Amino acid sequence: MPARRAGDASDMFGNLEILPPDPILGVTAAFRRDRDPDKVDLGVGVYRDEYGNTPVPGAVRAAEQAVLSEQTTKVYVGPAGNLEFNERIVALALGPLAPQLKERIAAIQTVGGCGALRMGAELLHAAAPDAVVHVSDPTWANHEPLLGNSGIALQRYPYYEPSTRSVAFDQMLGHLERLPPGAVVLLHGCCHNPTGVDLVPAQWDAVADVLERRGLVPFVDLAYQGFGDDLDTDAAGLRLLARRLPTLLLAISCSKNFGLYRERAGAFAVVAENAATARAIATHQARIGRRMYSMPPDHGAAIAARVLSDATLYRAWADEVAAMVARMKQLRSLLAGRLGARRPDLDFSWLTRQKGMFSLLGLAPAAIGALCNEEHVYMPPDGRINLAGVSDTNVDRVADAIVRVIERS
Ligand code: LMR
């Protein structure tokens, strides 16, 4: 091999080390490598049916077929993506408020919900480089890398009280009360990831009060609309904030509720103080997209737009979302029941109170390691479980494994 000199172009990447796996996506890879026939995947946040599959909802498949049969060209759409999708997906989130806020909204189609979050961070960084985004402690494992990589500064606000497995609301409010005007507060619209612990309506009211009083800016991440209770209830906190605050940022994902995971369909919207500001924001969003990836992929957004614009497909889809949430609630009760039957001295009722796909087991890192490596029950290192990975077939295995590691620790 020829000797390398410093600065030699052939050694350009020679100083890069192999990175550790992603805390969530790495679980999928480890699960796939495991040969145990009874392995269970409670890792990545995807919905699963009773057979362990993540199906394409029927209404989404029908919309996809319609899109494909009617599409005559693949010519570029434009930096803002599918405009009908943008309008309808924001209307799904904002509900009856959408028409009234229309002139104040700047929306852009993004590369999934992650793209929406990153678009928001880039916009904040461009408009207010000194702004700090406050994220919940804990928060989704990719929030900080995804937002922080834009250059925007991040801090955490207290959110979860492990001893009661509920929102540490007084501490959260205390933190918000001390923030300077213009600070940005990232809130999970529903189905908090990873805790499953959501604000109740009175708490949303109190958060809106402090945001309003202190001139803070909410940035709502709505990745699970319809997975907590229903499509409207899950957006109630967001709608309250949009009604009361002059400026709001919103990241929307179609991955979970439309089952469009790999299509990367999402949107980022700002409800701006006035129509002129919204028009200016739209030009910045387009420029940010153009400079990062030029234009978003069309297919998933075209499908979601089709579902949302066809009354029959919409009703069928809403019913399918309702069936998914009903199943997740049932799985929460099932697992809580099986754990309780094994250890009646321990309280597992929190599982049934939490919302969406996730709950934190609240076990020490060694116990989580044992669940993955010895029990073949996989989850991220923070002990977040995806309840949709539980089934009638594996629930006893999961409950036995959890109880075994609790008893060992
Ligand atoms: C999750 O939290 O598991 C999902 O949002 C998937 C992801 O990208 O992390």
Side-chain angles (χ1 to χ4, degrees):
M1 192 189 280
R4 290 212 178 122
R5 279 170 291 126
D8 185 339
S10 67
D11 197 27
M12 178 180 271
F13 301 114
N15 60 341
L16 295 185
E17 287 167 11
I18 293 179
L19 295 173
D22 179 88
I24 294 175
L25 304 183
V27 178
T28 309
F31 176 79
R32 286 185 182 148
R33 280 195 303 271
D34 188 339
R35 303 262 162 138
D36 189 288
D38 296 322
K39 63 185 179 176
V40 179
D41 184 4
L42 305 183
V44 69
V46 300
Y47 175 78
R48 291 182 205 279
D49 65 15
E50 61 268 43
Y51 308 106
N53 298 323
T54 302
V56 181
V60 170
R61 189 178 286 284
E64 180 168 39
Q65 277 153 3
V67 165
L68 286 176
S69 68
E70 289 163 24
Q71 197 168 61
T72 54
T73 178
K74 295 283 187 190
V75 76
Y76 295 126
V77 178
N82 182 321
L83 301 185
E84 183 177 19
F85 165 78
N86 295 344
E87 193 174 328
R88 289 189 183 274
I89 201 73
V90 172
L92 181 73
L94 294 177
L97 272 184
Q100 147 192 356
L101 295 176
K102 195 170 190 299
E103 300 300 317
R104 287 173 48 206
I105 295 174
I108 184 164
Q109 186 196 319
T110 55
V111 184
C114 285
L117 288 161
R118 183 55 180 262
M119 173 66 72
E122 295 286 342
L123 181 71
L124 282 169
H125 195 46
D130 296 332
V132 176
V133 178
H134 295 257
V135 303
S136 66
D137 185 12
T139 197
W140 174 48
N142 203 27
H143 266 149
E144 287 169 312
L146 189 57
L147 298 168
N149 211 34
S150 69
I152 200 98
L154 301 173
Q155 283 179 28
R156 289 180 169 208
Y157 61 85
Y159 185 77
Y160 182 64
E161 178 46 57
S163 64
T164 55
R165 298 182 187 265
S166 58
V167 180
F169 195 62
D170 291 345
Q171 291 95 308
M172 173 183 177
L173 226 49
H175 182 99
L176 300 187
E177 288 283 6
R178 290 191 292 277
L179 296 185
V184 179
V185 182
L186 186 80
L187 296 154
H188 299 221
C190 61
C191 308
H192 185 271
N193 182 359
T195 67
V197 168
D198 283 350
L199 299 176
V200 297
Q203 292 172 329
W204 279 107
D205 271 326
V207 168
D209 286 345
V210 65
L211 295 180
E212 200 171 32
R213 187 158 21 83
R214 301 222 36 99
L216 310 178
V217 179
F219 187 168
V220 178
D221 183 0
L222 191 63
Y224 293 91
Q225 188 181 1
F227 269 32
D229 286 306
D230 58 67
L231 289 163
D232 284 319
T233 309
D234 290 355
L238 160 72
R239 292 174 190 175
L240 173 82
L241 299 183
R243 221 174 9 251
R244 290 189 46 188
L245 278 299
T247 301
L248 176 142
L249 286 74
L250 171 62
I252 301 174
S253 168
C254 299
S255 295
K256 328 285 166 157
N257 50 10
F258 285 87
L260 282 168
Y261 305 89
R262 66 173 62 166
E263 302 296 355
R264 313 307 300 137
F268 171 70
V270 180
V271 181
E273 189 135 15
N274 56 53
T277 306
R279 282 195 297 275
I281 289 171
T283 65
H284 285 264
Q285 289 170 336
R287 187 169 77 173
I288 291 166
R290 179 74 169 146
R291 288 178 175 182
M292 282 201 289
Y293 51 78
S294 190
M295 288 170 234
D298 177 62
H299 191 63
I303 295 168
R306 185 71 182 216
V307 170
L308 294 173
S309 61
D310 178 314
T312 310
L313 287 179
Y314 177 81
R315 271 193 304 275
W317 169 72
D319 286 348
E320 288 179 273
V321 175
M324 290 194 268
V325 71
R327 175 173 156 74
M328 286 183 287
K329 286 184 174 178
Q330 185 226 324
L331 291 172
R332 285 182 172 280
S333 302
L334 182 70
L335 181 60
R338 298 296 166 96
L339 287 166
R342 282 158 176 79
R343 288 296 303 261
D345 56 319
L346 298 178
D347 176 24
F348 295 102
S349 63
W350 45 272
L351 271 170
T352 61
R353 287 194 300 276
Q354 297 174 351
K355 300 279 170 100
M357 302 177 108
F358 308 122
S359 284
L360 284 177
L361 281 183
L363 299 176
I368 302 302
L371 273 170
C372 298
N373 303 325
E374 293 161 35
E375 301 287 348
H376 308 272
V377 176
Y378 284 82
M379 66 199 64
D382 61 358
R384 184 194 80 173
I385 52 168
N386 172 12
L387 271 300
V390 175
S391 67
D392 287 329
T393 321
N394 69 24
V395 65
D396 285 311
R397 215 185 115 23
V398 171
D400 282 338
I402 293 174
V403 166
R404 264 197 299 272
V405 301
I406 289 176
E407 290 173 352
R408 253 187 275 153
S409 50

